[in-house]
Amino acid sequence: MGLFDSILGRSKPVRPDLDQLFALPSAAITLEASLGLKPTGVRSVCLRSPAALAFVPVQADVQALLDASGGPAVEATRDEYGYTWLVCRTSPPDVSALVTDLHAVNSTLQDSGFGSTLLCSLVGFTDGSRHLGLVYLFKQGTFYPFVPASTGTTLDGATPQRRDNLFELQVRDLLGDDLRVEPDLNRWFALWGAPGM
């Protein structure tokens, strides 16, 4: 960054520290040993919706990269808020392969000029009744847990959107030695309806 950028308050966007993703296998072992949470085999990358025509070749490049390594198919979906999710599913879940695939997808997007649109990556875990998403924030280089509370339905049949904040804090404390956990709780965004949850 130059002197004028400093004076005018401009800054270059922070490049995501994708190597942080390689800490996930250790975190997965901790989650299973301590809480009985196992990976679901679903991982996803969220980005602000890019121009459709420009994005199609990049999605093909991501799929070709995963195909070359025998990786899973990539499915592009759009959530109700207009964000694009690239979703990979594998069975049985393999955390090491999962991290390699996530790193490859994110690197390809970044190298193709979509780095500024990357928002987060999500890896799903479950113990059969409770679901946990470990969310990686690209711009911060940190993780946080997202745990929707299973509270049943309301009288009109809708599912209320509530989080299990106490369990999220428990997971934060548990994974402090494995992951770089986001210290600012205001950045722990709810990812309602995210693929993998």
Side-chain angles (χ1 to χ4, degrees), residues 42-44 77 79 85-87 89 122 124 191 193-197:
V42 180
R43 62 269 196 200
S44 52
T77 64
D79 67 18
W85 291 85
L86 296 179
V87 184
R89 292 178 170 83
L122 182 136
L191 297 176
M197 287 303 302

Side-chain angles (χ1 to χ4, degrees), residues 74-91:
V74 176
E75 170 193 343
T77 64
R78 198 171 253 213
D79 67 18
E80 63 183 287
Y81 304 103
Y83 294 105
T84 298
W85 291 85
L86 296 179
V87 184
C88 300
R89 292 178 170 83
T90 54
S91 184

Side-chain angles (χ1 to χ4, degrees), residues 32-185:
E32 186 170 359
S34 300
L35 301 173
L37 292 163
K38 297 180 181 179
T40 61
V42 180
R43 62 269 196 200
S44 52
V45 176
C46 180
L47 55 153
R48 284 191 310 272
S49 295
L53 292 177
F55 187 64
V56 170
V58 174
Q59 185 180 353
D61 289 347
V62 167
Q63 187 62 61
L65 180 66
L66 293 177
D67 288 345
S69 64
V74 176
E75 170 193 343
T77 64
R78 198 171 253 213
D79 67 18
E80 63 183 287
Y81 304 103
Y83 294 105
T84 298
W85 291 85
L86 296 179
V87 184
C88 300
R89 292 178 170 83
T90 54
S91 184
D94 177 355
V95 178
S96 297
L98 173 150
V99 168
T100 303
D101 292 345
L102 268 180
H103 195 279
V105 170
N106 292 316
S107 297
T108 301
L109 289 169
Q110 186 171 311
D111 294 345
S112 300
F114 290 96
S116 63
T117 67
L118 292 171
L119 299 174
C120 67
S121 281
L122 182 136
V123 178
F125 293 83
T126 187
D127 63 2
S129 61
R130 186 182 342 225
H131 297 280
L132 161 73
L134 276 183
V135 182
Y136 175 71
L137 295 170
F138 289 106
K139 305 233 182 325
Q140 306 304 320
T142 56
F143 291 86
Y144 71 90
F146 170 60
V147 181
S150 51
T151 57
T153 58
T154 60
L155 294 175
D156 63 358
T159 303
Q161 294 182 334
R162 294 194 180 114
R163 296 172 73 167
D164 188 340
N165 298 115
L166 187 59
F167 191 64
E168 289 177 349
L169 294 174
Q170 181 183 354
V171 170
R172 175 198 64 184
D173 295 342
L174 180 67
L175 296 181
D177 291 336
D178 295 310
L179 300 175
R180 186 186 299 167
V181 179
E182 175 57 48
D184 184 355
L185 298 182

